[in-house]
Amino acid sequence: MSSNHMFLVLSVLLAVVVAERAAMYKNPVIHGDFPDPGVAFDPKTKRYWLASTSGNSANHFPIFSSANLYNWTAQGHVFPQGSAGTPTWAATDFWAPEPHFVNGRWLVYFVARNHKGMLSVGVAISKGGVDGPYEDLGSELVTTSDMGMIDPTFYRDNNTNYLIWKEDANDPAHCSRNCYTRIFLSPLDESGTKVLLPRDKWVVLIQQSQSWEGPLVEAPWIIFNPATDYYYLFYSGNGYASRGYAVGVARAHTLAGPWTKYPANPILHTGTSVFYGPGHCSVVDVIAARESVRV
């Protein structure tokens, strides 16, 4: 989870690009309450597409699109009110949607609280393009009876699909003190709609270990840089509603780790930037500009 406004943060390789981009946009790039942005580029439309947390609004997961990452246009919702595709298993707390192109179709991975009160990971399947219409899988993708599961992201590596997500062990309903939250990984089937490992085989990537992270780590996003031969795991730590919420990064030579956290984390936080409690980012490659963008 993250705070109210959508911001654009550039990690730029060329100083001239920094100056040019700074003249083109002004934060926030989307005004309003649109936390936890999941962003993907669609080659067919030649636009970036973004979905965000909607909480308990009647329309679930607002969608925006942009040609340049700083001018955004509203494009409806993943699950509009009354949509036949809305998950029947989900009751409240529609969080952290991410669009991903998997095996020739667009999927949106997301979080919702089921009718048993447990936060769970779901997936919606588009019947058309990235803007939908979407239909829920029909049941939770990841759920347990004793622990919430949130903040899913997708990564494809060496012809294998993977789901990465967080266990919500910092929830007071499941833990009273000194609990560790973990970021998990499991392979998915080729369709991206079935987790292939049982719970006792899920791979732990990281858990909280640096003081700035406070009681939790969450909101994973993974990229690979062939120039360094490292995978980079961007994640958030501390409480989303506090000044301490921030973004850190870890790296590894293989997706399963071991992962080493950057000693100077967090890389984006309150106090050294214009942002208050920044967190739960997406990282988008903009190849033409030779830069990666955190949204």
Side-chain angles (χ1 to χ4, degrees), residues 113-158:
R113 193 179 299 274
N114 65 21
H115 293 284
K116 297 179 181 179
M118 198 62 60
L119 288 166
S120 305
V121 173
V123 60
I125 304 161
S126 176
K127 295 181 177 180
V130 63
D131 56 343
Y134 282 92
E135 182 174 356
D136 177 65
L137 178 65
S139 61
E140 301 95 322
L141 180 62
V142 182
T143 191
T144 72
S145 61
D146 62 339
M147 185 69 67
M149 301 291 161
I150 70 171
D151 294 353
T153 191
F154 171 88
Y155 192 79
R156 184 169 175 85
D157 187 53
N158 294 323

Side-chain angles (χ1 to χ4, degrees), residues 63-106:
I63 299 172
F64 296 84
S65 73
S66 173
N68 51 29
L69 288 172
Y70 41 87
N71 296 315
W72 293 90
T73 302
Q75 300 282 2
H77 294 78
V78 175
F79 301 126
Q81 186 175 16
S83 166
T86 301
T88 57
W89 60 264
T92 60
D93 297 331
F94 288 78
W95 297 348
E98 288 190 6
H100 293 276
F101 193 67
V102 182
N103 196 28
R105 59 185 180 175
W106 283 97

